[in-house]
Amino acid sequence: AYQARTLSSWMQDFAIGRHPDMEKHHAAVRAVRAIGVEAVPILTEKLRTTSHSTDIVQDIYLISAFEALGTKARPAIPALIELLAPSYDAARESLSEPDAQLNDRISINAALALRAIGRYSVSPLIEALNADDVKIRFGAAMALENFSRHSNRVVPALIKALEDKDCDVRWCAAASIGKLRAKPSLSVPALVKRLRDDPSMNVRCYAIMAIGKFGSTATISIPDLRNAATDSTDSAIRSYAQT
């Protein structure tokens, strides 16, 4: 608590909507910062216990609290990386399914909390790309799309993840590289290799989409995209390449 109000109470004052009370918001930020590291286990548990009945507005309050704490929330990093794992199951199911929606929501919130913590999240996420648990590797590849400021480290790590033995990790790494749109001299050739050689049609499609994000800096991919546009094995490959 701070000034006789609980952390949860202060969180309700974070700015949201069209006409937020910014005076209350700034007071809430100061309060969460004053509570400091004692807020970390509470926030982490709130994220972990997100349920179908939890109002999505509470997600915004939760991420706002992590943003207010910033680097003070570093102790939460290991738990947040574990909470990225549900994204793997969500990606393999239809998001029209309630459980898949919940898994996706929990993992996205964890990824946003890691982004709020900032640079201290980068090394643990890169290490997580080598975890034994494929779900952790997938979640780390997904979360690293949020760290464009650290592309010098993140892009090479994601390029290495393009060689992962699991095809879902490979396509997730390709998608994150495309969203970062950084280091084209490294990224584009690695994506072209996936387009050309990957045994998974899904990975090849994501590689094409990622290449497209690089625009004119991806001209070396044109011959391979032309080949893919006439691919006789998969209509999705042809469609993405033609687009």
Side-chain angles (χ1 to χ4, degrees), residues 134-151:
V134 64
K135 296 182 179 182
I136 296 294
R137 299 201 305 274
F138 181 93
M142 177 271 290
L144 283 168
E145 72 178 42
N146 295 313
F147 292 88
S148 58
R149 291 184 179 180
H150 305 276
S151 58

Side-chain angles (χ1 to χ4, degrees), residues 91-194:
R92 296 164 67 88
E93 301 170 3
S94 169
L95 284 180
S96 62
E97 296 295 326
D99 287 345
Q101 292 177 8
L102 181 60
N103 283 336
D104 190 57
R105 181 178 165 193
I106 290 171
S107 293
I108 288 175
N109 285 339
L112 293 175
L114 286 162
R115 182 182 68 180
I117 293 169
R119 66 186 186 278
Y120 294 107
S121 297
V122 176
S123 290
L125 282 170
I126 289 174
E127 291 174 11
L129 289 173
N130 298 309
D132 292 335
D133 188 342
V134 64
K135 296 182 179 182
I136 296 294
R137 299 201 305 274
F138 181 93
M142 177 271 290
L144 283 168
E145 72 178 42
N146 295 313
F147 292 88
S148 58
R149 291 184 179 180
H150 305 276
S151 58
N152 285 340
R153 298 171 61 199
V154 170
V155 169
L158 287 172
I159 288 173
K160 184 179 178 181
L162 290 174
E163 306 286 343
D164 194 278
K165 61 185 178 181
D166 186 273
C167 66
D168 290 314
V169 175
R170 296 199 302 275
W171 72 247
C172 187
S176 288
I177 290 171
K179 290 174 182 175
L180 287 167
R181 291 185 290 180
K183 304 293 178 185
S185 63
L186 297 176
S187 298
V188 175
L191 292 168
V192 168
K193 182 180 179 183
R194 287 299 100 200

Side-chain angles (χ1 to χ4, degrees), residues 39-55:
V40 172
I42 299 171
L43 296 175
T44 305
E45 185 61 19
K46 284 179 178 290
L47 200 161
R48 180 182 289 109
T49 56
T50 300
S51 67
H52 295 293
S53 61
T54 305
D55 189 335

Side-chain angles (χ1 to χ4, degrees), residues 55-74:
D55 189 335
I56 198 166
V57 171
Q58 299 303 313
D59 294 355
I60 299 172
Y61 292 149
L62 184 60
I63 300 307
S64 295
F66 275 105
E67 290 173 346
L69 285 173
T71 58
K72 287 184 178 180
R74 288 171 62 184

